[in-house]
Amino acid sequence: MGGKLIVFEGVEGCGKTSQIQLCSEWLESLGVSVMVTREPGGTELGLHLRRLLLEKAEDKPFSTRGCANGNAQGKPVAQVTELLLYAADRSQHVEQELKPNLTAGKYILCDRYTDSTIAYQGYGRGLNMSLINQLNYIATGGLESDLTIWLDVDVEVGLARKLLDGVGLDRIEQETIAFHRCVQQGYAHLAASHPSRIVQVDGSLSKEAVQQVIQGILCDRLHLAK
Ligand code: Z5A
């Protein structure tokens, strides 16, 4: 495939959306053909799944929190069901958007991919890692990112940024700090295990400083001329 799949990962509020926007503008200024997408929700089917997956706790009826503490007020979605919904979203996304656009030579900037499932459902929820790896493989057909940028910020910093936005926290953002710390540990472990694919970037710097670092990494790793 002629294009490149560049994934942005990290805990809530780490700055993925902001950096993807800046990166897209920069790449286009270099004459690169860019596509911006995300998981969940990169397809029409995925948008429906995204709504189900991220509904706020007060917007019942779905809640995995109730499932975990056995005190469901609404109808809890089982944790494996949640995992399967992310896999369904990814499978459709890979077939409908990622593969054709990579073949067309695009640079795809993707907000979250397989590592999110490992970090959130694996490290966060504690689901079986071998099951997650199998589902990731089935959903992607083995398509891995060419480069993954992990925007590393403290969990508290990311959540504080989200609270400042004043839009309210979604279902996963409303999880406990302990949950988000497990997710963060998941990213740290992934980055240490896949140094050639995942690059850690200090997301606590200013947006402009983070963007400079990312542009340098893309130039080095993807042989782009600045
Ligand atoms: N999820 C999962 O569990 N399993 C999976 O397999 C997948 C996903 C694929 C998707 O949410 C949710 O699904 C996610 C994991 C789960 N959990 N939650 N919730 P999402 O990706 O759509 O949303 P998010 O992860 O919560 O990201 P976000 O809210 O869009 O945040 P962001 O993109 O990382 O950050 P941002 O929007 O660029 O910035 C947030 C705020 O911080 C905003 O006000 C910015 O202006 C500000 N900001 C950004 N950068 C900076 C810097 N450098 N300094 C200061 N302020 C900054």
Side-chain angles (χ1 to χ4, degrees), residues 59-226:
D59 299 339
K60 305 280 183 204
F62 297 107
S63 164
T64 49
R65 304 176 98 201
C67 221
N69 64 18
N71 186 26
Q73 313 238 317
K75 292 178 182 149
V77 55
Q79 295 188 352
V80 173
T81 310
E82 179 188 60
L83 172 66
L84 292 169
L85 290 174
Y86 280 114
D89 169 77
R90 180 161 303 130
S91 169
Q92 187 68 18
H93 192 215
V94 168
E95 285 306 316
Q96 187 183 314
E97 299 294 336
L98 300 190
K99 282 186 183 167
N101 281 293
L102 286 171
T103 303
K106 296 217 175 179
Y107 274 51
I108 301 179
L109 305 181
C110 187
D111 194 334
R112 302 193 178 282
Y113 194 53
T114 48
D115 292 329
S116 279
T117 317
I118 295 172
Y120 282 81
Q121 280 65 52
Y123 284 84
R125 302 237 186 270
L127 293 183
N128 182 282
M129 217 48 102
S130 147
L131 172 65
I132 290 173
N133 288 333
Q134 283 178 58
L135 282 171
N136 271 344
Y137 188 80
I138 290 167
T140 62
L143 178 69
E144 290 192 346
S145 71
D146 292 285
L147 179 65
T148 294
I149 303 287
W150 169 36
L151 293 175
D152 181 17
V153 294
D154 285 347
V155 163
E156 289 85 352
V157 171
L159 288 173
R161 286 178 183 170
K162 297 287 300 183
L163 285 170
L164 268 182
D165 279 348
V167 289
L169 298 179
D170 69 31
R171 189 175 57 77
I172 291 182
E173 286 162 352
Q174 290 174 340
E175 289 288 347
T176 62
I177 286 281
F179 171 86
H180 291 290
R181 290 222 176 91
C182 290
V183 171
Q184 180 76 328
Q185 281 168 13
Y187 280 120
H189 188 258
L190 277 164
S193 311
H194 303 279
S196 58
R197 181 174 65 79
I198 304 177
V199 182
Q200 178 180 7
V201 171
D202 181 357
S204 69
L205 305 174
S206 71
K207 282 186 197 178
E208 296 70 25
V210 174
Q211 181 59 203
Q212 284 306 310
V213 173
I214 292 174
Q215 289 182 12
I217 292 167
L218 261 60
C219 287
D220 284 353
R221 298 283 184 121
L222 305 178
H223 311 296
L224 285 168
K226 253 196 178 178

